[in-house]
């Protein structure tokens, strides 16, 4: 049993390495291919099949497809066609791995290690990771065969299999639980294949276990998308419903199917694989013409509802009243600012506590900032088509400018500061006590400045605007002072400062950039008040006697 557990764990790890390696090497291309598969059902089916054979994970394909459907890039019917292809793809992967090519495992492991060691580019490292994962999968299958061989003599296992064979529905349930726990139906089908090869599992029971593995493999994507909108959940729940239909159709005829496949399969293990492929091909043949009905059922089950957290103050009816429309746009833009403030605070807390979970949702928050920013811009562009006086047009431009700057700040936090925090935690780095205090001070001033900018958007107060621009100067001095202190600590040979030098300076640089975006709200107000110079360059006196 210990050998069996270790072999299954190695198989799961190999599958994970292939999935992450292919995603890192070709992830962007795979996403484009999946997003482009909307012309017809057969094309969508083919893309789902190819993507899953590359990723060796129908779960990964399901999550990508659900994200596209949730964003409205592909229809529910096309998403279900992709999932039918994904189900066939994972069964074909099982067929390939079922060939006795375990002798390739050492070669692929060695090649993967060498490629990963000497590769510099991220795509090349991803390919090396996938090759190494394939080698580990082949090795694990060899170990699975060895570990299941002694099970032929196990009376306990025989009794267990006999009880499952007597109640096929129970076998389906037991086999469905295993992919939920392991997040891989492929691994469970390969395990059933090994048990069949050792004579522990009979043909009819093998088919029941394959049905359960297929059904359970559709559950992890459902769990992963529970917090998403109805468009995304229609994909995963629809895929689960399709697999459940397949179980209901095939299970009563498991004995007949086993007899039919026995005429083609030369070995018990081959019968299990053929049943896996046949089930998914049957489902594809039945469901592809019925995708319209499946989509209709999913729309009835999961109707669209207003997105929580979406724009709440952009009333289209108010566009005929510019004053009310501008007030609503201001309130929505303040929400964007509040989200950005939360992102900064979470990032600081994660930096302080060395806990990536505290900023795990920063990417989702940035997506929300992007959505609200686009909605505000679209709303005000519609408003600008109406007759606005000069003040209203100026106010509209001011709001859009501030929203754009907030969106830039969100990108800096999500793409730069968040990655710097993760790098610090992953490498177990620690700032020196003075360095940490300096960084936290700049964070605190930045958050305070953002709150001032929020007040300025509402009030348009020139005194607050002047205070914000002065605070930007203070940030510049804080950043320079901290950088100078950091260099002094480097000269003194402080270990913490030596290890975190790049992180320290990069965080200061990004916070300085954020403050530049924050201060932009003040410039139009100060310019209108006549207290903003066009340039910080000093006027140079002309030499005497020179012609003017």
């Amino acid at each position: 049993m210990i050998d069996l557990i270790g072999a299954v764990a190695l198989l799961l790890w190999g599958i994970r390495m292939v999935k992450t390696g292919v995603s890192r090497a070709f992830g962007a291309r795979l996403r484009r291919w999946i997003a482009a598969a909307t012309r017809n059902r057969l094309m969508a089916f083919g893309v789902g099949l190819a993507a899953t054979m590359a990723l060796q994970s129908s779960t990964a394909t399901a999550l990508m497809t659900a994200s596209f459907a949730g964003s409205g890039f592909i229809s529910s019917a096309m998403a279900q066609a992709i999932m039918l292809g994904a189900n066939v793809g994972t069964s074909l992967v099982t067929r390939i791995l079922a060939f006795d090519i375990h002798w390739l495992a050492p070669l692929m492991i060695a090649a993967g290690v060498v490629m990963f060691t000497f590769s510099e580019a991220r795509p090349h490292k991803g390919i090396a990771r996938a090759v190494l994962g394939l080698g580990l999968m082949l090795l694990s299958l060899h170990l699975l065969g060895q570990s299941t061989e002694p099970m032929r003599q196990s009376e306990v296992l025989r009794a267990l299999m006999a009880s499952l064979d007597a109640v096929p529905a129970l076998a389906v349930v037991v086999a469905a639980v295993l992919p939920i726990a392991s997040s891989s139906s492929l691994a469970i089908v390969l395990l059933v294949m090994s048990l069949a090869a050792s004579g522990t599992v009979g043909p009819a029971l093998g088919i029941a276990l394959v049905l359960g593995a297929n059904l359970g493999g559709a559950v992890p994507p459902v769990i992963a998308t529970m917090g998403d909108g109805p468009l995304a959940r229609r994909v995963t729940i629809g895929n689960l419903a399709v697999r459940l239909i397949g179980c209901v159709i095939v299970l009563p005829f498991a004995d007949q199917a086993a007899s039919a496949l026995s005429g083609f399969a030369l070995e018990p293990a081959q019968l299990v694989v053929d049943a896996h492929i046949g089930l998914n091909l049957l489902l594809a043949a039945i469901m592809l013409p019925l995708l319209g009905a499946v989509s209709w059922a999913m729309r009835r089950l999961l109707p669209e509802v207003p997105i929580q957290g979406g724009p709440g103050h952009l009333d289209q009816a108010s566009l005929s009243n510019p004053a009310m429309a501008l007030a609503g746009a201001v309130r929505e833009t303040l929400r964007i600012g509040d989200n950005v403030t939360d992102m900064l605070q979470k990032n600081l807390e994660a930096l302080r506590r060395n806990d990536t979970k505290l900023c795990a949702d920063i990417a989702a928050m940035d997506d929300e900032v992007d959505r609200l920013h686009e909605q505000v811009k679209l709303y005000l562009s519609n408003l600008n088509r109406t007759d606005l006086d000069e003040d209203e047009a100026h106010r509209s431009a001011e709001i859009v400018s501030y929203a754009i700057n907030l969106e830039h700040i969100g990108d800096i936090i999500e793409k730069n500061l968040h990655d710097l925090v993760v790098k610090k935690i992953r490498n177990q780095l620690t700032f020196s006590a003075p360095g940490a205090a300096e960084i936290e001070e700049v964070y605190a001033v930045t958050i305070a400045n953002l709150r001032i900018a929020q007040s300025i958007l509402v009030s348009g107060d020139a005194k607050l605007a002047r205070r914000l621009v002065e605070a930007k100067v203070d940030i510049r001095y804080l950043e320079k002072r901290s950088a100078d202190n950091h260099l002094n600590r480097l000269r003194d040979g402080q270990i913490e400062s030596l290890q975190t030098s790049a992180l320290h300076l990069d965080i200061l640089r990004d916070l300085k950039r954020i403050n530049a975006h924050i201060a932009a709200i003040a410039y139009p107000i100060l310019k209108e008040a006549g207290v903003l110079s066009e340039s910080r360059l000093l006027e140079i006196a002309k030499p005497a006697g020179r012609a003017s």
Side-chain angles (χ1 to χ4, degrees), residues 234-292:
R234 286 174 190 171
V235 177
T236 55
I237 294 177
N239 183 48
L240 176 60
V242 167
R243 295 198 192 190
L244 180 59
I245 291 171
C247 284
V248 172
I249 292 174
V250 176
L251 185 59
F253 306 100
D255 291 330
Q256 291 86 336
S259 299
L261 290 174
S262 297
F264 300 96
L266 301 177
E267 300 175 355
Q270 184 179 340
L271 185 145
V272 169
V273 176
D274 290 345
H276 189 31
I277 297 173
L279 168 66
N280 286 294
L281 286 175
L282 177 64
L283 280 177
I286 294 173
M287 290 299 172
L288 272 175
L290 301 176
L291 288 180

Side-chain angles (χ1 to χ4, degrees), residues 17-296:
M17 290 194 70
V18 173
K19 180 177 69 176
T20 56
V22 172
S23 297
R24 293 175 186 179
F26 307 107
R29 295 178 187 176
L30 279 174
R31 285 190 287 271
R32 285 198 297 270
W33 291 340
I34 292 176
T38 57
R39 296 182 183 177
N40 59 66
R41 299 176 184 185
L42 290 178
M43 181 180 291
F45 176 86
V47 169
L49 187 152
T52 304
M53 290 192 70
L55 290 169
Q56 303 204 3
S57 172
S58 59
T59 299
T61 305
L63 293 179
M64 281 196 290
T65 305
S67 69
F68 288 127
S71 301
F73 291 133
I74 56 178
S75 68
S76 178
M78 293 301 104
Q80 290 301 333
I82 291 173
M83 290 314 305
L84 290 173
N87 297 338
V88 174
T90 192
S91 64
L92 293 178
V93 170
T94 309
R95 172 71 274 176
I96 295 170
L97 294 174
F99 291 116
D100 186 16
I101 51 174
H102 68 273
W103 52 272
L104 277 175
L107 295 177
M108 299 189 78
I109 292 173
V113 170
V114 171
M115 289 171 61
F116 192 87
T117 302
F118 293 100
S119 297
E120 297 294 336
R122 180 182 174 90
H124 295 163
K125 281 189 174 292
I127 295 172
R129 186 181 183 90
V131 172
L132 178 57
L134 281 172
L136 294 179
M137 289 175 66
L138 293 176
L139 177 61
S140 69
L141 292 176
H142 183 59
L143 295 176
L144 271 174
Q146 292 181 339
S147 62
T148 54
E149 188 68 26
M151 292 183 177
R152 297 185 182 190
Q153 312 303 325
S154 173
E155 296 297 332
V156 174
L157 187 61
R158 285 180 181 177
L160 176 60
M161 291 299 133
S163 63
L164 292 178
D165 199 10
V167 188
L170 179 61
V172 171
V173 173
V174 171
V177 171
L178 296 177
I180 298 173
S182 63
S183 295
S184 174
S185 61
L186 173 62
I188 305 309
V189 173
L190 291 172
L191 175 60
V192 174
M193 182 189 75
S194 297
L195 292 174
S198 66
T200 309
V201 169
L205 178 58
I207 290 177
L209 293 175
V210 166
L211 290 173
N214 271 275
L215 181 61
V219 175
V222 173
I223 297 173
T225 56
M226 285 180 63
D228 296 342
L231 293 177
R233 284 185 289 137
R234 286 174 190 171
V235 177
T236 55
I237 294 177
N239 183 48
L240 176 60
V242 167
R243 295 198 192 190
L244 180 59
I245 291 171
C247 284
V248 172
I249 292 174
V250 176
L251 185 59
F253 306 100
D255 291 330
Q256 291 86 336
S259 299
L261 290 174
S262 297
F264 300 96
L266 301 177
E267 300 175 355
Q270 184 179 340
L271 185 145
V272 169
V273 176
D274 290 345
H276 189 31
I277 297 173
L279 168 66
N280 286 294
L281 286 175
L282 177 64
L283 280 177
I286 294 173
M287 290 299 172
L288 272 175
L290 301 176
L291 288 180
V294 174
S295 299
W296 175 84

Side-chain angles (χ1 to χ4, degrees), residues 363-374:
M365 296 175 71
D366 184 54
D367 290 341
E368 178 68 8
V369 166
D370 292 342
R371 282 193 295 270
L372 293 177
H373 157 254
E374 289 297 329

Side-chain angles (χ1 to χ4, degrees), residues 348-384:
L348 172 59
E349 200 62 27
L351 184 72
R352 184 184 291 142
R353 297 189 187 181
N354 283 338
D355 187 354
T356 54
K357 293 181 181 178
L358 294 173
C359 60
D361 56 348
I362 278 184
M365 296 175 71
D366 184 54
D367 290 341
E368 178 68 8
V369 166
D370 292 342
R371 282 193 295 270
L372 293 177
H373 157 254
E374 289 297 329
Q375 291 293 332
V376 168
K377 285 200 305 182
L378 179 62
Y379 184 76
L380 291 178
S381 67
N382 291 332
L383 175 65
N384 290 337

